[in-house]
Amino acid sequence: MTVLGATGSIGQSTLDLIARAPEAYDVVALTGGRNVEQLAKDAIALNADIAVTCFDGCFDALSALLAGTGIEVAAGDAAVIEAAGRPADWTMSAIIGAAGLPPGLRAMENGGTLALANKESLVTAGPLLLATAKAHGATILPVDSEHSAVFQALVGEDLAAVERVIITASGGAFRDWPIEELANATLEQASSHPNWDMGQRITIDSASMFNKAMELIETKEFFGVAPSMIETIIHPESMIHAMVGFTDGALMAHVGPPDMRHAIGYALHWPERGHVPVERLDLAQLGQLTFRAPDDARYPALALARRVMEQGGLSGAVFNAAKERALDGFIDGRIGFVTMASVVERVMDNMSSDISPQNATLTLEDIEQADHLARVRADECMAQ
Ligand code: NAD
Ligand code: MG
């Protein structure tokens, strides 16, 4: 097996599960970024064949840490892709951002299973990802908690009997703030999630609901359901991860504590169920679960997701790249919290004529070009 993005939040949760039964897994490659200490430590503990940092400048530090271990060391984007292409029966795709797409595509060329946490792959390149899996006989298993929940609710079901898919949302850090205060939200406030312990970028995306917006697109792309059948609802306790409604009126809910090791463990043991050490829910103690409708004015990202689902083509790549740059801008203190959505909207407006129709077969090159241009446009927009 291989773990792409091994040093991140999902990567570390994945390694936590693997480390409980190391004899069961043959670790081929682990990849990471600047945290070479963690990467080296895990590569040694799990006896990986190769450890790769995506930063050329981190090569020497990683090499020094792994000297004498016999573990191969490499650095740079191309090295991450090369390592992803080494034969492995199971690959965790847990790099953050559009950078996760090329290594995930490469991993599928060997067949095997791609456990997909990197939602940006589906948002930017859903049809290409699914076509690549089909061409090489690879299996994609969703690792986003909501999509793992939908996937599990669909086991043994006929997609034709699905009426709706409900993706729950915690509502993020600012769900109870007065709307007019959102403009003053600080980086620190946006970086703290009420329920989930995740990487900083996805935590901020949860506060703005860009994360949920991406998950709506992810649902359409992965399960092939019509956008009109996909809903979201605010569920502050984050215990129900998703629900699937069927033609007979049944609503199947997936309930569990907010711990990504459940979705990761499901993908790790699939098609069986393994033993996963997540907390068991005490429903009596929980007492109640609550729900409320999402407020479009508070979460403009949701309308942008609807637009992407209708437009298809390169709109997902443009939306995601503009969002990534706007998020960089917020993290760097160049723009405020609410400006992120307006940057994305303006870039999508500006590039609407570059977004080809739904049915065009898009290549990785088309997607990377649109991604690049959208980043340039987003930077221009933020410089104004
Ligand atoms: P993170 O920021 O904690 O970790 C990201 C990992 O990717 C790190 O190992 C980092 O070194 C690596 N990385 C960053 N930029 C890279 C680049 N340009 N090239 C190669 N590697 C790079 O992120 P995370 O929160 O673990 O999220 C990973 C993915 O999983 C994201 O797509 C996210 O949306 C998705 N996801 C995360 C959670 C969660 O609970 N954290 C839940 C659902 C989905
Ligand atoms: Mg999710």
Side-chain angles (χ1 to χ4, degrees):
M1 66 156 48
T2 281
V3 181
L4 305 170
T7 55
S9 168
I10 293 285
Q12 288 290 297
S13 294
T14 307
L15 298 192
D16 172 75
L17 295 181
I18 294 170
R20 289 163 194 265
E23 66 291 343
Y25 305 105
D26 177 17
V27 178
V28 178
L30 298 182
T31 82
R34 287 202 173 79
N35 191 352
V36 288
E37 286 79 17
Q38 186 70 50
L39 184 59
K41 190 170 152 237
D42 292 331
I44 293 168
L46 296 169
N47 194 24
D49 297 345
I50 179 168
V52 188
T53 161
C54 64
F55 297 110
D56 291 312
C58 293
F59 178 80
D60 290 344
L62 185 60
S63 298
L65 288 161
L66 290 175
T69 60
I71 297 170
E72 205 180 321
V73 176
D77 294 335
V80 172
I81 297 171
E82 191 278 331
R86 296 191 180 197
D89 54 358
W90 191 92
T91 299
M92 167 54 75
S93 166
I95 289 172
I96 187 121
L101 175 63
L105 288 171
R106 178 61 65 83
M108 286 195 292
E109 288 177 14
N110 293 317
T113 297
L114 188 73
L116 188 68
N118 179 262
K119 61 190 79 187
E120 294 86 350
S121 291
L122 280 167
V123 171
T124 60
L128 175 65
L129 204 76
L130 299 192
T132 305
K134 198 168 172 197
H136 299 282
T139 303
I140 303 175
L141 296 176
V143 172
D144 215 343
S145 54
E146 297 77 4
H147 306 78
S148 175
V150 173
F151 189 84
Q152 293 179 53
L154 287 175
V155 171
E157 302 287 355
D158 182 353
L159 258 187
V162 172
E163 241 174 26
R164 58 182 179 151
V165 176
I166 306 173
I167 301 294
T168 57
S170 69
F174 307 137
R175 64 188 174 211
D176 299 319
W177 280 34
I179 288 193
E180 54 285 3
E181 302 259 312
L182 290 178
N184 304 320
T186 66
L187 177 60
E188 197 190 348
Q189 289 165 330
S191 303
S192 141
H193 196 282
N195 307 333
W196 293 88
D197 178 15
M198 309 184 287
Q200 186 190 37
R201 296 182 73 88
I202 185 173
T203 301
I204 301 169
D205 282 349
S206 296
S208 63
M209 282 267 235
F210 264 112
N211 181 50
K212 210 50 54 183
M214 295 209 287
E215 291 180 355
L216 298 181
I217 303 166
E218 202 185 347
T219 305
K220 178 209 156 202
E221 297 296 343
F222 188 78
F223 297 103
V225 288
S228 59
M229 292 162 64
I230 306 171
E231 305 167 20
T232 186
I233 189 160
I234 307 273
H235 166 45
E237 295 86 4
S238 296
M239 292 294 170
I240 295 182
H241 304 303
M243 291 173 262
V244 179
F246 293 91
T247 46
D248 61 358
L251 198 53
M252 302 299 288
H254 180 284
V255 193
D259 184 335
M260 285 309 295
R261 291 178 305 169
H262 174 75
I264 297 166
Y266 185 78
L268 190 59
H269 297 290
W270 183 87
E272 288 156 21
R273 282 192 186 269
H275 181 84
V276 180
V278 296
E279 182 199 339
R280 272 42 178 172
L281 285 185
D282 179 339
L283 295 173
Q285 198 194 11
L286 207 58
Q288 62 175 5
L289 296 177
T290 59
F291 304 92
R292 54 178 123 131
D295 170 353
D296 286 350
R298 180 181 294 272
Y299 302 117
L302 296 177
L304 296 172
R306 296 267 163 218
R307 194 165 147 186
V308 170
M309 290 195 286
E310 295 305 333
Q311 278 186 311
L314 290 164
S315 63
V318 169
F319 164 86
N320 178 69
K323 192 277 299 176
E324 287 191 29
R325 287 307 285 156
L327 179 57
D328 291 337
F330 176 64
I331 292 174
D332 299 346
R334 280 178 288 143
I335 60 169
F337 182 77
V338 294
T339 310
M340 285 192 284
S342 48
V343 168
V344 176
E345 186 172 13
R346 274 184 282 163
V347 173
M348 287 178 70
D349 288 346
N350 179 285
M351 288 183 64
S352 57
S353 59
D354 303 307
I355 293 166
S356 51
Q358 297 241 13
N359 50 6
T361 316
L362 300 171
T363 63
L364 180 57
E365 199 181 13
D366 296 330
I367 291 157
E368 288 183 333
Q369 263 174 19
D371 176 287
H372 175 73
L373 190 56
R375 283 170 203 263
V376 172
R377 293 277 178 273
D379 286 346
E380 287 167 1
C381 197
M382 289 189 284
Q384 278 165 14

